[in-house]
Amino acid sequence: MKKFWLTLALGLTVIGGFSLITSAPVTAQAATQRTEIPKSLRGHWRLYDKGFHHYEMQIFTKWESKNTTAGFKIHWFTMSGKSNKTTSTQRPLQLQKVGKGYRVSPKGDLYPKDWAVWTRVKHHGKTALHATYPGALVKTSGAYYYRYK
């Protein structure tokens, strides 16, 4: 009888260990997922806001999107595509192809269609990023951000 219980305990240990080994790589693979911003959007872009008399800047790097205002040391919004885990000042990045442009928004946002769709265009002979808001309640022609660096 003692051999039966020892054999049963050994069998359960082997089965439990095997199930832990096979499930570990799945969680490790999901944690290293990255979102890379397309080359057509990358760079430093700015728009002059006539109402508030300041520049609003949009910076796209390979892994991040930052929105800031000139003269302020803080970023209004920073999103990172390096991994799903970000700092308290960053949000995980989600990229969605919409027509000829891209919607850059945070993962898990309740209103993803409220974010701008960025399209690289020629405007008045200069390269610009055209930001449109197709999901907005008030329809506008959008805004043009010009390269400054």
Side-chain angles (χ1 to χ4, degrees), residues 117-146:
V117 174
W118 300 94
T119 309
R120 190 176 183 142
V121 296
K122 284 281 190 183
H123 187 251
H124 297 299
K126 295 180 182 178
T127 302
L129 280 185
H130 188 214
T132 55
Y133 301 88
L137 295 175
V138 178
K139 300 298 179 192
T140 64
S141 60
Y144 291 94
Y145 287 72
Y146 296 97

Tab-separated table of all heavy atoms in Angstrom, residues 117-146:
chain	number	residue	atom	x	y	z
A	117	VAL	N	-6.175	60.579	-36.505
A	117	VAL	CA	-5.605	59.739	-37.547
A	117	VAL	C	-4.539	60.581	-38.236
A	117	VAL	O	-4.829	61.659	-38.762
A	117	VAL	CB	-6.674	59.273	-38.555
A	117	VAL	CG1	-6.033	58.526	-39.711
A	117	VAL	CG2	-7.717	58.411	-37.872
A	118	TRP	N	-3.290	60.108	-38.203
A	118	TRP	CA	-2.148	60.833	-38.747
A	118	TRP	C	-1.832	60.326	-40.145
A	118	TRP	O	-1.621	59.141	-40.349
A	118	TRP	CB	-0.920	60.647	-37.858
A	118	TRP	CG	-1.113	61.142	-36.469
A	118	TRP	CD1	-1.516	60.422	-35.388
A	118	TRP	CD2	-0.928	62.469	-36.007
A	118	TRP	NE1	-1.582	61.234	-34.275
A	118	TRP	CE2	-1.222	62.487	-34.628
A	118	TRP	CE3	-0.527	63.658	-36.615
A	118	TRP	CZ2	-1.130	63.643	-33.858
A	118	TRP	CZ3	-0.438	64.799	-35.852
A	118	TRP	CH2	-0.740	64.787	-34.494
A	119	THR	N	-1.778	61.266	-41.117
A	119	THR	CA	-1.459	60.923	-42.498
A	119	THR	C	-0.370	61.873	-42.987
A	119	THR	O	-0.488	63.088	-42.808
A	119	THR	CB	-2.697	61.070	-43.397
A	119	THR	OG1	-3.786	60.364	-42.803
A	119	THR	CG2	-2.446	60.520	-44.780
A	120	ARG	N	0.668	61.339	-43.615
A	120	ARG	CA	1.739	62.181	-44.167
A	120	ARG	C	1.296	62.685	-45.531
A	120	ARG	O	0.941	61.890	-46.404
A	120	ARG	CB	3.021	61.372	-44.265
A	120	ARG	CG	4.218	62.214	-44.591
A	120	ARG	CD	5.459	61.370	-44.567
A	120	ARG	NE	6.617	62.205	-44.817
A	120	ARG	CZ	7.757	62.045	-44.209
A	120	ARG	NH1	7.916	61.088	-43.334
A	120	ARG	NH2	8.767	62.843	-44.485
A	121	VAL	N	1.314	64.021	-45.716
A	121	VAL	CA	0.836	64.648	-46.950
A	121	VAL	C	1.778	65.776	-47.359
A	121	VAL	O	2.677	66.157	-46.617
A	121	VAL	CB	-0.597	65.218	-46.766
A	121	VAL	CG1	-1.597	64.118	-46.493
A	121	VAL	CG2	-0.629	66.272	-45.684
A	122	LYS	N	1.541	66.328	-48.563
A	122	LYS	CA	2.183	67.563	-49.010
A	122	LYS	C	1.137	68.669	-48.866
A	122	LYS	O	0.033	68.571	-49.397
A	122	LYS	CB	2.614	67.465	-50.477
A	122	LYS	CG	3.840	66.641	-50.700
A	122	LYS	CD	5.064	67.445	-50.346
A	122	LYS	CE	6.325	66.717	-50.785
A	122	LYS	NZ	7.523	67.404	-50.410
A	123	HIS	N	1.490	69.739	-48.125
A	123	HIS	CA	0.569	70.849	-47.904
A	123	HIS	C	1.335	72.142	-48.159
A	123	HIS	O	2.326	72.412	-47.488
A	123	HIS	CB	0.020	70.795	-46.470
A	123	HIS	CG	-1.048	71.794	-46.204
A	123	HIS	ND1	-0.851	72.878	-45.410
A	123	HIS	CD2	-2.336	71.867	-46.638
A	123	HIS	CE1	-1.963	73.581	-45.338
A	123	HIS	NE2	-2.877	72.984	-46.080
A	124	HIS	N	0.893	72.930	-49.149
A	124	HIS	CA	1.578	74.160	-49.553
A	124	HIS	C	3.040	73.890	-49.907
A	124	HIS	O	3.933	74.669	-49.572
A	124	HIS	CB	1.491	75.236	-48.467
A	124	HIS	CG	0.097	75.680	-48.169
A	124	HIS	ND1	-0.720	76.270	-49.109
A	124	HIS	CD2	-0.629	75.606	-47.034
A	124	HIS	CE1	-1.891	76.550	-48.567
A	124	HIS	NE2	-1.869	76.150	-47.312
A	125	GLY	N	3.294	72.753	-50.552
A	125	GLY	CA	4.644	72.411	-51.003
A	125	GLY	C	5.567	71.886	-49.923
A	125	GLY	O	6.731	71.623	-50.183
A	126	LYS	N	5.068	71.725	-48.711
A	126	LYS	CA	5.893	71.220	-47.612
A	126	LYS	C	5.334	69.886	-47.128
A	126	LYS	O	4.134	69.643	-47.170
A	126	LYS	CB	5.898	72.202	-46.438
A	126	LYS	CG	6.536	73.531	-46.741
A	126	LYS	CD	6.482	74.413	-45.528
A	126	LYS	CE	7.075	75.775	-45.803
A	126	LYS	NZ	6.983	76.657	-44.642
A	127	THR	N	6.236	69.036	-46.610
A	127	THR	CA	5.806	67.779	-46.021
A	127	THR	C	5.143	68.075	-44.684
A	127	THR	O	5.671	68.837	-43.871
A	127	THR	CB	7.003	66.842	-45.816
A	127	THR	OG1	7.623	66.618	-47.072
A	127	THR	CG2	6.561	65.511	-45.236
A	128	ALA	N	3.990	67.488	-44.455
A	128	ALA	CA	3.246	67.746	-43.222
A	128	ALA	C	2.544	66.473	-42.771
A	128	ALA	O	2.346	65.538	-43.548
A	128	ALA	CB	2.219	68.848	-43.446
A	129	LEU	N	2.187	66.455	-41.500
A	129	LEU	CA	1.313	65.402	-40.981
A	129	LEU	C	-0.069	66.011	-40.828
A	129	LEU	O	-0.235	67.045	-40.182
A	129	LEU	CB	1.800	64.914	-39.610
A	129	LEU	CG	2.937	63.931	-39.576
A	129	LEU	CD1	3.185	63.470	-38.142
A	129	LEU	CD2	2.679	62.732	-40.443
A	130	HIS	N	-1.039	65.381	-41.434
A	130	HIS	CA	-2.418	65.852	-41.348
A	130	HIS	C	-3.128	65.050	-40.262
A	130	HIS	O	-3.232	63.829	-40.355
A	130	HIS	CB	-3.109	65.684	-42.700
A	130	HIS	CG	-4.450	66.311	-42.753
A	130	HIS	ND1	-5.470	65.780	-43.490
A	130	HIS	CD2	-4.964	67.419	-42.168
A	130	HIS	CE1	-6.553	66.536	-43.359
A	130	HIS	NE2	-6.259	67.526	-42.558
A	131	ALA	N	-3.589	65.731	-39.242
A	131	ALA	CA	-4.318	65.090	-38.147
A	131	ALA	C	-5.806	65.319	-38.348
A	131	ALA	O	-6.267	66.462	-38.395
A	131	ALA	CB	-3.876	65.662	-36.808
A	132	THR	N	-6.550	64.232	-38.496
A	132	THR	CA	-8.005	64.325	-38.619
A	132	THR	C	-8.638	63.534	-37.484
A	132	THR	O	-8.032	62.622	-36.928
A	132	THR	CB	-8.491	63.771	-39.968
A	132	THR	OG1	-8.008	62.434	-40.117
A	132	THR	CG2	-8.001	64.618	-41.123
A	133	TYR	N	-9.860	63.887	-37.154
A	133	TYR	CA	-10.585	63.241	-36.056
A	133	TYR	C	-11.917	62.722	-36.590
A	133	TYR	O	-12.958	63.352	-36.414
A	133	TYR	CB	-10.814	64.241	-34.909
A	133	TYR	CG	-9.527	64.793	-34.360
A	133	TYR	CD1	-8.937	65.922	-34.911
A	133	TYR	CD2	-8.884	64.158	-33.320
A	133	TYR	CE1	-7.740	66.418	-34.421
A	133	TYR	CE2	-7.686	64.636	-32.821
A	133	TYR	CZ	-7.128	65.764	-33.372
A	133	TYR	OH	-5.942	66.243	-32.891
A	134	PRO	N	-11.922	61.545	-37.261
A	134	PRO	CA	-13.149	61.044	-37.874
A	134	PRO	C	-14.234	60.670	-36.870
A	134	PRO	O	-15.409	60.694	-37.194
A	134	PRO	CB	-12.701	59.827	-38.676
A	134	PRO	CG	-11.331	59.517	-38.246
A	134	PRO	CD	-10.780	60.689	-37.534
A	135	GLY	N	-13.861	60.355	-35.634
A	135	GLY	CA	-14.864	59.949	-34.647
A	135	GLY	C	-15.412	61.091	-33.815
A	135	GLY	O	-16.250	60.892	-32.945
A	136	ALA	N	-14.956	62.329	-34.081
A	136	ALA	CA	-15.380	63.470	-33.265
A	136	ALA	C	-16.821	63.862	-33.570
A	136	ALA	O	-17.312	63.667	-34.678
A	136	ALA	CB	-14.459	64.651	-33.516
A	137	LEU	N	-17.489	64.419	-32.576
A	137	LEU	CA	-18.858	64.881	-32.757
A	137	LEU	C	-18.922	66.106	-33.664
A	137	LEU	O	-19.828	66.255	-34.468
A	137	LEU	CB	-19.490	65.207	-31.399
A	137	LEU	CG	-19.666	64.010	-30.469
A	137	LEU	CD1	-20.177	64.475	-29.114
A	137	LEU	CD2	-20.622	63.001	-31.066
A	138	VAL	N	-17.941	66.998	-33.525
A	138	VAL	CA	-17.873	68.193	-34.368
A	138	VAL	C	-16.855	67.919	-35.474
A	138	VAL	O	-15.680	67.682	-35.205
A	138	VAL	CB	-17.445	69.427	-33.539
A	138	VAL	CG1	-17.324	70.641	-34.430
A	138	VAL	CG2	-18.415	69.663	-32.412
A	139	LYS	N	-17.307	67.942	-36.724
A	139	LYS	CA	-16.433	67.643	-37.854
A	139	LYS	C	-15.576	68.861	-38.195
A	139	LYS	O	-16.077	69.968	-38.294
A	139	LYS	CB	-17.250	67.238	-39.087
A	139	LYS	CG	-18.120	66.008	-38.863
A	139	LYS	CD	-17.282	64.800	-38.552
A	139	LYS	CE	-18.161	63.590	-38.317
A	139	LYS	NZ	-17.475	62.474	-37.759
A	140	THR	N	-14.254	68.642	-38.349
A	140	THR	CA	-13.324	69.701	-38.731
A	140	THR	C	-12.482	69.216	-39.893
A	140	THR	O	-12.462	68.030	-40.214
A	140	THR	CB	-12.390	70.069	-37.563
A	140	THR	OG1	-11.577	68.944	-37.256
A	140	THR	CG2	-13.170	70.494	-36.334
A	141	SER	N	-11.774	70.167	-40.512
A	141	SER	CA	-10.903	69.791	-41.633
A	141	SER	C	-9.584	69.207	-41.146
A	141	SER	O	-8.793	68.717	-41.933
A	141	SER	CB	-10.626	71.021	-42.503
A	141	SER	OG	-9.996	72.022	-41.725
A	142	GLY	N	-9.327	69.268	-39.848
A	142	GLY	CA	-8.106	68.715	-39.290
A	142	GLY	C	-7.043	69.786	-39.129
A	142	GLY	O	-7.279	70.974	-39.342
A	143	ALA	N	-5.855	69.351	-38.749
A	143	ALA	CA	-4.739	70.263	-38.516
A	143	ALA	C	-3.508	69.742	-39.228
A	143	ALA	O	-3.348	68.532	-39.406
A	143	ALA	CB	-4.477	70.381	-37.022
A	144	TYR	N	-2.621	70.660	-39.623
A	144	TYR	CA	-1.388	70.301	-40.312
A	144	TYR	C	-0.205	70.592	-39.406
A	144	TYR	O	-0.020	71.721	-38.968
A	144	TYR	CB	-1.251	71.064	-41.627
A	144	TYR	CG	-2.248	70.628	-42.659
A	144	TYR	CD1	-3.458	71.295	-42.813
A	144	TYR	CD2	-1.983	69.540	-43.478
A	144	TYR	CE1	-4.377	70.884	-43.756
A	144	TYR	CE2	-2.894	69.125	-44.431
A	144	TYR	CZ	-4.092	69.803	-44.558
A	144	TYR	OH	-5.007	69.392	-45.498
A	145	TYR	N	0.582	69.567	-39.127
A	145	TYR	CA	1.807	69.690	-38.340
A	145	TYR	C	2.976	69.640	-39.297
A	145	TYR	O	3.059	68.738	-40.125
A	145	TYR	CB	1.926	68.528	-37.336
A	145	TYR	CG	0.975	68.613	-36.170
A	145	TYR	CD1	-0.380	68.375	-36.330
A	145	TYR	CD2	1.448	68.925	-34.911
A	145	TYR	CE1	-1.244	68.445	-35.259
A	145	TYR	CE2	0.598	68.982	-33.833
A	145	TYR	CZ	-0.757	68.750	-33.993
A	145	TYR	OH	-1.611	68.829	-32.935
A	146	TYR	N	3.895	70.626	-39.179
A	146	TYR	CA	5.053	70.705	-40.068
A	146	TYR	C	6.311	70.260	-39.348
A	146	TYR	O	6.457	70.494	-38.140
A	146	TYR	CB	5.227	72.143	-40.594
A	146	TYR	CG	4.061	72.581	-41.447
A	146	TYR	CD1	3.038	73.326	-40.908
A	146	TYR	CD2	3.985	72.209	-42.775
A	146	TYR	CE1	1.953	73.719	-41.682
A	146	TYR	CE2	2.925	72.577	-43.564
A	146	TYR	CZ	1.902	73.334	-43.001
A	146	TYR	OH	0.838	73.693	-43.765
